[in-house]
Amino acid sequence: MLLHLRPRLFSLQFGIVSVVDVEIPSLGLRLLGNVDLTTRRPYPNKHYAVACRKRGHKAVDGIFIETGEPVEHIDCITRWAVEATTIVTHRVRYTLLDRDFDSASDHMLLWCAESDGLGGWSDRHPRGKERFFPVVIEPVMELTQERPDRPNTHDTFDDALGWIALRQQTFEMPTIERERLLDPALNLRLPAINDVFSRS
C-alpha cells in the first residue's frame, strides 16, 4: 500500500523551523531530519513548512511510504525544532476507512471527483466530510498562542513557551487509486515514486 503523508507545521511567528524526525512505529520506520528528510515550503503560503525526502532542491509536498501490506491505521509522530532551541511534537493517528484501492493520502484534494479537475475518478470523500474545508481538518502542527478549535485535535500548551508543545490528532482517510498519486498533470508537487520510503 502506498501512503502519501504530509508532516506539516504552520507558524506566523517563527521562520526557522526544521523537521527533527518522523516515526511510524507500526512500520518500524524512523526518518531523520538532515539525513532522510529535509524541510521545504511548497505552498504559496510560506508560513507552512513540510517534511519531504532529502533529495534535490524541489519543494515537495510530503513523503511516500510503501507499507507492503494494507494497513488499517498508523501513528505518525513528527518532531519539529523551532528556532533551533525548542522541540514540539505532532502525533497523528491515521485510520483507513476502506480497502477499495491500494493507496491513500491526507491531501483531501486528491479525494475529489472529476468535476474538480481530476482525470475521471469518482469522488472518495467519506460521507459527512464533504462539508469540511481541508484547511480545517487536515493534520497540521501549529505554533500559536491561541487555542484553535479544530475537530479531532487535543493540544497541550506549554505556558512557559506560550504555544502548543504537543498536538495529537486523528484523521480518517479513504483509499484512492494509485494513479491519482502518480499523475503529473495534477501539478500538486507530490513526491516522485522513486523517492518512496519502505517499511523496515
Side-chain angles (χ1 to χ4, degrees):
M1 174 170 249
L2 181 64
L3 300 179
H4 172 230
L5 305 180
R6 298 174 302 152
R8 303 183 301 154
L9 182 144
F10 178 83
S11 173
L12 291 170
Q13 182 178 0
F14 301 101
I16 303 175
V17 296
S18 59
V19 63
V20 175
D21 54 24
V22 172
E23 185 175 8
I24 303 177
S26 61
L27 300 181
L29 199 61
R30 183 166 182 250
L31 307 173
L32 303 177
N34 293 322
V35 178
D36 308 298
L37 303 173
T38 190
T39 305
R40 300 267 165 80
R41 297 181 186 267
Y43 311 143
N45 185 343
K46 299 306 178 185
H47 296 298
Y48 282 94
V50 184
C52 63
R53 184 155 199 155
K54 187 178 181 184
R55 185 174 290 174
H57 299 286
K58 183 178 179 181
V60 174
D61 193 11
I63 57 176
F64 279 163
I65 299 169
E66 184 63 64
T67 68
E69 299 176 354
V71 295
E72 292 183 10
H73 55 77
I74 61 167
D75 294 315
C76 182
I77 306 159
T78 305
R79 295 191 303 157
W80 295 92
V82 183
E83 301 288 338
T85 59
T86 304
I87 292 178
V88 297
T89 303
H90 186 204
R91 304 175 69 101
V92 183
R93 166 151 284 210
Y94 292 97
T95 299
L96 278 293
L97 295 173
D98 60 76
R99 292 195 173 190
D100 295 347
F101 301 104
D102 74 336
S103 301
S105 173
D106 66 7
H107 196 324
M108 291 174 62
L109 179 61
L110 288 167
W111 305 354
C112 295
E114 181 178 10
S115 61
D116 291 290
L118 301 182
W121 295 303
S122 62
D123 185 75
R124 297 295 295 158
H125 280 85
R127 183 169 296 175
K129 288 272 196 299
E130 310 94 333
R131 59 188 175 87
F132 287 105
F133 291 109
V135 71
V136 174
I137 64 171
E138 287 180 341
V140 62
M141 180 66 183
E142 294 176 283
L143 296 181
T144 176
Q145 295 177 345
E146 301 174 0
R147 296 180 182 261
D149 183 20
R150 286 183 170 272
N152 305 312
T153 299
H154 176 76
D155 291 330
T156 302
F157 277 77
D158 186 315
D159 292 329
L161 295 175
W163 67 77
I164 301 167
L166 169 64
R167 167 167 283 181
Q168 300 176 82
Q169 294 184 290
T170 59
F171 188 72
E172 296 179 335
M173 302 185 295
T175 60
I176 58 176
E177 303 90 337
R178 185 172 290 234
E179 289 75 20
R180 295 197 196 206
L181 294 176
L182 305 180
D183 187 347
L186 296 181
N187 195 27
L188 294 177
R189 290 185 172 262
L190 299 181
I193 191 60
N194 60 344
D195 288 337
V196 67
F197 292 103
S198 298
R199 70 179 301 167
S200 52

